Structure formats: structure tokens, C-alpha cells
Amino acid sequence: MSWYRRHEGFVLLLVLFVALRLFATWLLRPGGYVSDWSDYEFYADWGAQTARGYTTFVNLWAPYPPLFARLMLPVHELSLRIPPWVDPRLAFHVLFGALLLLFEVGNLLLIYRIAGKLAREDGPTAAGQIAAPLRPALLYALLFAPLFTFLGWFDAMPLFFLLLGLDLLLASVGWAWAGSALSVALGFLVKLTPIVLLPVAV
């Protein structure tokens, strides 16, 4: 219970964060009045091509390295087994959103952990202030851009591996650098951007 008392604010934030994203996955479409479109539509088309026997983007790493496809395409195949209801896109959007939600929760946890490590170096928080580790997590949870990106794109995945690599770099355990390198490598297999952590590690 002492752990819960120390992290009570974050646990509440996490529950609200998950609830918001679950309902948003079911009930919101990104684009608003500007464009009723997201990359989810493209991922579904990609999955449909694979079902027709075409191997789209194989050995073409610049747009989509292989790990993303290994995670997304089985979700698309599973969504085809669910009878369409209301909108034919619904099953894929909900299932793929649920997969991304795992990475989003990981992102929030890692932001909180990294902020906690940095806060320990800065010293205790003054009375009456929001705990230092909770502030960056609150900022991430309340910003519109991460929610909008979650609803239309898969960037929560590479961000997770980038944050995990950074968290492990900041760890005091001797083997953590190897875990950080593995995390960056997995992130690179999802999207090329996590490689930016490499010069930081060096």
C-alpha cells in the first residue's frame, strides 16, 4: 500500500488516460471537418492487398520497416473475422487502436519513470506542488496532439521504443545499456526515427 500512496496521483491519471483513449477509439474519427481520413485507412488497404496475395512494401524499409507489418497485418486479419457493424472500418479501427493503446500506456509509464529519475536528481518537490514526476505525465495525457496521433497513426509504437531506450540509458544497472540498444534496434524495425537515440547513447 505504501507504493500506491506514493503513486496514487499517477494511478488515477493512468485510469483516466486509458478510459479516454478507449472511448475515443470507438467514438471519434480523426480529421474533423478538415478530412475524414487517417493512416488507419491506409493500413486496412495494405492488409486487404496482403489478403489478395500481394506482398506490399516487402524489402522497402524507407516507408515501413518489417516489425510494424508483423504487428499490424495479423490485427487486420483478425478484424476480417468480425462481422461488419455500423461501419466496415470499425473492427479494424478498434482492434488496431487497442494494440496501440498498449504502447500508449507504456509511453505514459515511461514518461513518469524517466521524470521520476530526473526528479530524484533535482531534490524533493515543494509542498503544495504537483509531484515532479507527475507533471510531464499530466502534460502528455492532456495534450491534444498525442491523442490525435493515437487515433490516426502508429507513432505510439516507435515512441515507446525510443522512451524505453532512454529509460534504460538512465538506469544505474550495468546491463541496462544492452537493453537500451535492443530497444532502439526494435524501434528501428518499427520506424527509422528511434535511431536518434544512438548518438545520445554514444
Side-chain angles (χ1 to χ4, degrees):
M1 290 305 289
S2 62
W3 179 91
Y4 178 76
R5 278 195 296 273
R6 279 199 324 272
H7 303 286
E8 182 179 0
F10 177 74
V11 171
L12 177 60
L13 176 66
L14 181 61
V15 169
L16 294 172
F17 181 84
V18 170
L20 173 65
R21 276 154 173 75
L22 279 176
F23 280 108
T25 302
W26 274 90
L27 301 172
L28 297 181
R29 293 181 188 175
Y33 293 107
V34 179
S35 65
D36 182 16
W37 177 260
S38 76
D39 271 10
Y40 278 35
E41 324 298 335
F42 172 66
Y43 307 148
D45 287 343
W46 180 359
Q49 297 304 315
T50 305
R52 294 184 185 112
Y54 298 107
T55 52
T56 315
F57 295 123
V58 170
N59 297 325
L60 186 61
W61 274 47
Y64 295 101
L67 186 56
F68 169 67
R70 296 286 182 199
L71 295 171
M72 183 273 294
L73 292 174
V75 172
H76 182 268
E77 185 180 342
L78 179 62
S79 73
L80 295 176
R81 301 173 190 275
I82 300 172
W85 178 61
V86 181
D87 188 306
R89 301 174 291 182
L90 178 64
F92 177 70
H93 277 241
V94 169
L95 291 176
F96 188 63
L99 172 66
L100 287 181
L101 182 58
L102 297 175
F103 289 95
E104 270 286 82
V105 168
N107 291 338
L108 190 68
L109 286 165
L110 287 166
I111 288 169
Y112 183 66
R113 274 178 54 88
I114 292 167
K117 289 176 180 178
L118 297 176
R120 281 195 290 275
E121 296 175 6
D122 293 339
T125 305
Q129 286 187 335
I130 296 173
L134 192 56
R135 276 178 270 171
L138 266 171
L139 187 63
Y140 184 78
L142 295 176
L143 280 172
F144 176 72
L147 174 63
F148 185 72
T149 304
F150 163 75
L151 291 174
W153 294 267
F154 76 101
D155 294 273
M157 284 186 196
L159 178 61
F160 171 78
F161 290 110
L162 181 64
L163 290 171
L164 180 61
L166 181 59
D167 180 56
L168 290 167
L169 273 182
L170 295 172
S172 55
V173 186
W175 54 264
W177 66 269
S180 178
L182 178 61
S183 176
V184 169
L186 288 171
F188 188 71
L189 290 174
V190 173
K191 196 171 186 176
L192 306 183
T193 49
I195 204 69
V196 299
L197 196 60
L198 187 59
V200 176
V202 171

